[in-house]
Amino acid sequence: MQQVPLEHALLVAAILFGIGLTGLLARRNLLFTLMSIEILLSAAGLAFVAAASRWGQADGQVMFIFILVMAGAEVSVGLALVLQIHHALKTLDSDAIRQLRG
Amino acid sequence: MATLSAGAFYVFSGLAILATLLVIVQRNAVHALLYLVVSFLAVAGLLFVLGAPFAAALEVIIYAGAIMVLFVFVTMMVSPGQEAATADARWGLLKALVGPAAIALLLIVELGSVLVHAPAAHVGADVISPKEVAVALFGTYVLGVELASMLLLAGLVGAYHLGRRMLQRDREGETG
Amino acid sequence: MLDVALIPGLPLAGFVILALVGSRLPRRAVAIIGVGSVGLSAAWALLFGAALIASHDVHQSQTLWTWMALPHFEAAIGLSLDRLSLVMVWVVTGVGFLTHLYSIAFMADDEDYARFFAYMNLFVGSMLVLVLADDLLLLYLGWEGVGLCSYLLIAFWYRDPKNVRAAVKAFLVTRIGDAAMAVGLFLLAAYTGTLRIDDLMLRLPHTFPAGAPVVVAAAALLLAGAVGKSAQLPLQVWLPDAMAGPTPVSALIHAATMVTAGVYLIARMQLVFNMAPAVMAVVAWIGLATLLLAGLSALAQRDLKRILAYSTISQLGYMFLALGVGAWTAAIFHLVTHAFFKALLFLCAGVVIKSLHDEHDIAAMGGLRRHMPLVFGAFTVGAASLAGLPLVTAGFYSKDAILQAAWASGPHAAWLWAVALVGALVTSVYAFRALFVVFLGETRREPARVSSLAMSVPLVVLAALALLAGFVQTPSQLGGISVFGGFVGPAVGGQVGQGGGGPGWLLLVASGASLLGLLIAWVLYVRRPATFARLADAPAWVALRQFALEGFGFDRLYDTMIVQPFVYLTRANVGDFVDWLYVCLAEVARLLHGLMSRAQTGRVRWYAAGIALGALLMLGLVVLR
């Protein structure tokens, strides 16, 4: 039975994480920022589940559930904020929101 | 069965990576969201192959189902299509990707080098049933469950409060 | 056994009282405290000294307390009274008392009455500490103390910036000497482990042979200190300007006592100088050059006090000459007589200047003989003693002793003697010039009446001393009295007063010189003043006179050599390059601030990038380990 090495699974998670990071740093649109965060969280969850599978335990999936919960809460609040920003500043450019500079 | 598992694993991984890459280079937010959904579905497949069917189901239901739908709603409200695309283009997308891509690449290389020296281990040998997950969740990690529910409550209240403000302003804008 | 400590203690106590409450006391009380403290000290010194002499045990030592006790060095506050210091104490307290008495009347209408007496008391106290110190460190304390008082008193009328400048000049120039002296003291302390004079005199010959570089260096440095304090070449430039202070100050400090501290130092340290014959020779030549140059400068001066100032420098040159040829007793003898007649001359000058409403130029004076006969008589006595008029004046005996010593010194004796003789001639000329121009002839300005008992008594006493004090030491041809030599000799060792050893014709030549000077002055200034005035207007003569007037260009030399470069450097350093270093620090901080501020962009992506880079670095560290 050919099995998948753990390293490969974790590597996939790392790559997904890297892509998410790139998206977070490169895109100016606030929505893309939030999307990239979701990608990051998903990648982290994948890593957890892969680790759990290696040990044959359910703890990793429990952590995955918690990550999911957190993502949900964060997305709802984040999107509400996006709506507020769009309403106030008429733009979604994160570089335009610089009131905390200096 | 094992060969199928291994092959399925690599197929789903490639799909997930490709879809995610496409997400971040899209100009149109809606297109990106669609690709993101594909990415999540691919990840769900991965999770299934890794012997975590419950996690896979949750990924589809909550991530691709609830969170993405929320994204779509807000995107529709906020950026009506074409105009946003041209705006993003104006912001020099390709140039902006170089630096972050470099950082991410380095990070991946670092993580990879750590993994190379790790002792050999294999995944996907067993299937962890929902029952086991439930036992762990409500047994050992029940405190976490309580905290998570509080977090959800906070998110709920926060989102409601922020949305309500806008609602009031809209109403005033109409009447005033 | 506080007996010796009372001598400096009383004036110092007077200073403390006057400094603290003097301005609130009535004038009479200030005078009583100020003059009384010095007077009591003088009386006590007289009695105590006499008692010691009678008991044939003149050496008294008294350690008051330990100043510092270090592993390799110890210094104590101790006073030591021996024959030499007893003579000095009598001179300081005696002339000091008379000057204080005079000041009661002289400074009567000055508003800073108390301050004056406070400073004067401090001065007398410091000078006594200097003279009585049995440790060189304590001596240096007194040395600095008198320097301070000199500065304070020259600038007594501080509201006039000219006076302040003169005081600063005096302080700076003597400071050069003081610094050198300090180095000399360090040298002695380092190599012998003690600065206590008795111990030093014992250890030095044991540690070093005569002529050792350390000893020569120490002697040279001590000489530098003496040169500064006693206004010898090349540090003589401060004394003429110091005449900016009140006349009692000039009389006491810059004639009788402080400037003689250098002479006292060399006499006290004669063992060190004996071990460095080269330095002794330098002492003699410095003295010689000074006495001639200063004498010639005095001849050209028009300010009465400046004449006397240059005269003081010249007479100190005589004392240095005597020290240099090893005639210690003669030097001290001349110190004593000079104190008397020079103080007398200054006090008389004070009366004259005050009565003419602060007129210093002798050309504006004249015929004062009729208006103030007492002062005229006193000034005549003083001038005569200064010129060394034969047989009757104290100055004659002391100056003759020095001339005899010069004659009997080793190689170059003839030169030393000849130049000293010329100096005596010049001294006589300028002394009588001052006398004749000020007191004889026609009255050009009417003087006011200023004399009072407080001023007259010191003049009379000093005049008497200026005449009689010489009779304690006479050459063999004139009685061979050797009271002074016999008294001081054992304390200073060396040859007991060279007076008496030389051929008789030396006496005649010396007398001749002073009488010739009197004659020349008479002819030039009384008989044919008009002819002389015509001669004096010849351009070459005028230029020469101007040169002499300026003290032979020393002030100008120092100005060009030292002052101008220094001022130039300070102006060039207006930017202050040391400050620039600190400004640079501030600039660097500001630069960093600018850089750091630019990191606060307010942009989310930027901050996220920061986090990502940080994570990268951290992981990198972990991976590379």
Side-chain angles (χ1 to χ4, degrees), chain B residues 74-88:
Chain B
V74 172
T75 309
M76 288 299 140
M77 283 166 69
V78 163
S79 57
Q82 208 52 33
E83 177 204 301
T86 44
D88 231 323

Side-chain angles (χ1 to χ4, degrees), chain B residues 9-34:
Chain B
F9 176 83
Y10 292 109
V11 166
F12 279 127
S13 330
L15 200 58
I17 291 171
L18 185 63
T20 318
L21 275 170
L22 287 171
V23 167
I24 65 172
V25 296
Q26 289 302 314
R27 301 229 176 108
N28 192 327
V30 180
H31 292 178
L33 281 170
L34 293 172

Side-chain angles (χ1 to χ4, degrees), chain C residues 11 14-15 18 33-34 37-38 100 117-125:
Chain C
F15 160 70
L18 288 175
I33 294 174
S37 64
V38 180
H100 278 68
F117 278 103
Y119 288 161
M120 290 289 269
N121 272 12
L122 180 64
F123 168 77
V124 173

Side-chain angles (χ1 to χ4, degrees), chain A residues 1 6 8 27 53 59 84 87, chain B residues 2 10 24 26 124 141 162:
Chain A
M1 185 152 111
L6 177 62
H8 292 197
R27 301 301 304 247
S53 169
D59 301 38
Q84 288 282 359
H87 194 84
Chain B
Y10 292 109
I24 65 172
Q26 289 302 314
Y141 298 107
L162 285 168

Side-chain angles (χ1 to χ4, degrees), chain C residues 204-379:
Chain C
L204 210 57
H206 283 159
T207 329
F208 295 102
V214 171
V215 180
V216 171
L221 290 166
L222 288 175
L223 173 63
V227 160
K229 200 60 102 183
S230 296
Q232 299 294 290
L233 247 58
L235 294 174
Q236 88 284 14
V237 291
W238 65 271
L239 195 51
D241 288 341
M243 297 299 113
T247 309
V249 171
S250 308
L252 182 60
I253 299 183
H254 302 126
T257 45
M258 183 183 98
V259 292
T260 59
V263 178
Y264 169 74
L265 178 73
I266 298 182
R268 182 57 87 195
M269 293 284 107
Q270 47 128 328
L271 191 91
V272 179
F273 285 93
N274 272 333
M275 286 173 70
V279 181
M280 285 268 282
V282 173
V283 173
W285 287 102
I286 286 181
L288 196 71
T290 310
L291 74 88
L292 190 61
L293 279 175
L296 290 173
S297 291
L299 209 48
Q301 300 297 321
R302 288 171 63 127
D303 182 332
L304 181 58
K305 283 180 75 175
R306 281 181 89 99
I307 296 177
L308 295 175
Y310 276 106
S311 168
T312 306
I313 299 175
S314 177
Q315 297 302 305
L316 287 165
Y318 271 102
M319 294 179 220
F320 267 65
L321 173 63
L323 291 170
V325 298
W328 314 99
T329 331
I332 302 296
F333 188 30
H334 196 59
L335 190 158
V336 173
T337 58
H338 173 262
F340 295 147
F341 62 68
K342 193 48 66 64
L344 173 66
L345 285 170
F346 265 111
L347 294 182
C348 292
V351 178
V352 167
I353 290 171
K354 196 152 194 239
S355 69
L356 290 175
H357 309 289
D358 282 332
E359 177 59 66
H360 287 239
D361 191 345
I362 55 174
M365 305 176 191
L368 293 178
R369 154 172 74 112
R370 290 175 279 276
H371 301 276
M372 35 180 82
L374 181 69
V375 180
F376 172 58
F379 200 91

Side-chain angles (χ1 to χ4, degrees), chain A residues 21 24-28 94-95 97-98 100-102, chain C residues 597 600-610 612:
Chain A
L21 188 64
L24 177 63
L25 297 177
R27 301 301 304 247
R28 276 161 92 160
S94 66
D95 284 350
I97 311 162
R98 302 171 60 192
L100 279 179
R101 81 174 285 267
Chain C
S597 317
Q600 306 292 322
T601 54
R603 283 192 257 142
V604 179
R605 293 196 305 144
W606 175 266
Y607 295 147

Side-chain angles (χ1 to χ4, degrees), chain A residues 1 3-6 8 16 18 22 27 32 34 38-39 41 50 53-54 57 59 61 64 68 83-84 86-87 92, chain B residues 2 10 20 24 26 32 36 50 52 59 63 71 78 88 93 104 121-125 128 133 141 144 162 169:
Chain A
M1 185 152 111
Q3 292 196 320
V4 179
L6 177 62
H8 292 197
L16 285 174
T22 311
R27 301 301 304 247
F32 278 89
L34 285 172
E38 295 310 312
I39 300 171
L41 290 168
S53 169
R54 182 249 181 278
Q57 292 174 344
D59 301 38
Q61 293 192 40
F64 182 78
L68 235 51
L83 285 174
Q84 288 282 359
H86 178 78
H87 194 84
L92 283 178
Chain B
Y10 292 109
T20 318
I24 65 172
Q26 289 302 314
L36 193 57
L50 286 173
E59 173 97 9
Y63 240 117
F71 256 105
V78 163
D88 231 323
L93 183 55
H122 294 279
V123 289
I128 300 167
V133 176
Y141 298 107
L162 285 168
R169 235 183 287 135

